[in-house]
Amino acid sequence: MKKLINDPATVIHDALSGLAAAHPELRVDLDNRLVFRAEPARQGKVALLSGGGSGHEPLHSGFVGRGMLDVACAGEVFTSPVPDQILAATAAADTGAGVLHVVKNYTGDVMNFEMAAELAAAETGTEVVSVIVDDDVAVRDSTYTAGRRGVGGTVLVEKIAGAAAEQGRALADVAAVARAVNERTRSMGMALTSCTVPAAGKPTFELGAGEMEIGIGIHGEPGRHRAPLAPAKEVAAMLVEPILADRPVGKGGPVICFVNGMGGTPLLELYIVYGEVARILAAHGIEIVRSLVGPYITSLEMAGCSVTLTEVDDELLTLWDAPVRTPALRWGA
């Protein structure tokens, strides 16, 4: 195993310490593994909280800041944060308007966030609403979850719901926006290599030199099937066509197209894939109105990519365009 780490046992602590040193606009609680905005949100603003296993950076800690999350909880690599972490984050983030939990649909995440929400209501009276992200079309059920997995769509949900919260909307309205984004979003991913969890010290699965895995999850779990290595245009079709078959996007509005890198794929290749995805969508008469290309929800050093399509109306597009200022995503004033 070759990794730029000190010790597998201190990976999360060391990474969060580095994040704090690099970004003074964030406040990091190393004991509870929480990342906050250094400048607290105004009183009466709905707080957005998300989190999950580490190893997917910049998700979630890199999306803490104005226009997105108020706090992120970091679990061990590919392991959900525990309820006590989430409870501490919820209590600290609440400014009196309630807290929205954005939860990827994995069994551990759902269970621990549910428990924390119940504890918050009982112990502090904090109103918590949870929105489950389940955009992956590759599988209906897996070892990690009942139903679809939450993958690239999480970035879209956090950004658009974060903008709604920044506008001062009520908790029910912010949750409705988050649910609308999730319902309009579908994703599909693939891998050229596995990843290596530091504590394990070996790849999660093996791929031959001429093989690729289609339909992978973000924890290194295998996908729908293994296929011979193919050109980017064929890979793009393998990712886009199942999305369009699952939800015929583009019938009621244009789309945001997000081509995500899994951690080990250079931007050169991601832009090649994006070009092929755009060509396929144009052939289907689907208009891309915004794009996002880059490694925003990763699986350690896995080589591969995913495609996420979100159908948007004027309201959701305006919220996507609203200013955002986080370590990993920033535009506008």
Side-chain angles (χ1 to χ4, degrees), residues 163-246:
E166 213 71 53
Q167 290 180 346
R169 299 192 191 189
L171 179 58
D173 293 337
V174 176
V177 166
R179 292 191 186 100
V181 176
N182 181 62
E183 289 166 3
R184 293 162 172 253
T185 300
R186 298 291 187 273
S187 300
M188 179 83 165
M190 60 79 63
L192 298 172
T193 68
S194 179
C195 59
T196 299
V197 175
K202 61 181 181 181
T204 305
F205 59 88
E206 296 291 341
L207 272 175
E211 294 180 316
M212 58 184 180
E213 191 82 16
I214 303 299
I216 51 92
I218 58 172
H219 300 95
E221 59 268 51
R224 278 186 173 181
H225 61 92
R226 192 158 291 188
L229 192 62
K233 61 183 178 181
E234 294 179 22
V235 172
M238 292 179 194
L239 302 182
V240 174
E241 296 299 344
I243 293 174
L244 299 184
D246 186 273

Side-chain angles (χ1 to χ4, degrees), residues 21 23 41 143 170 319:
H23 295 285
T143 304
L319 291 170

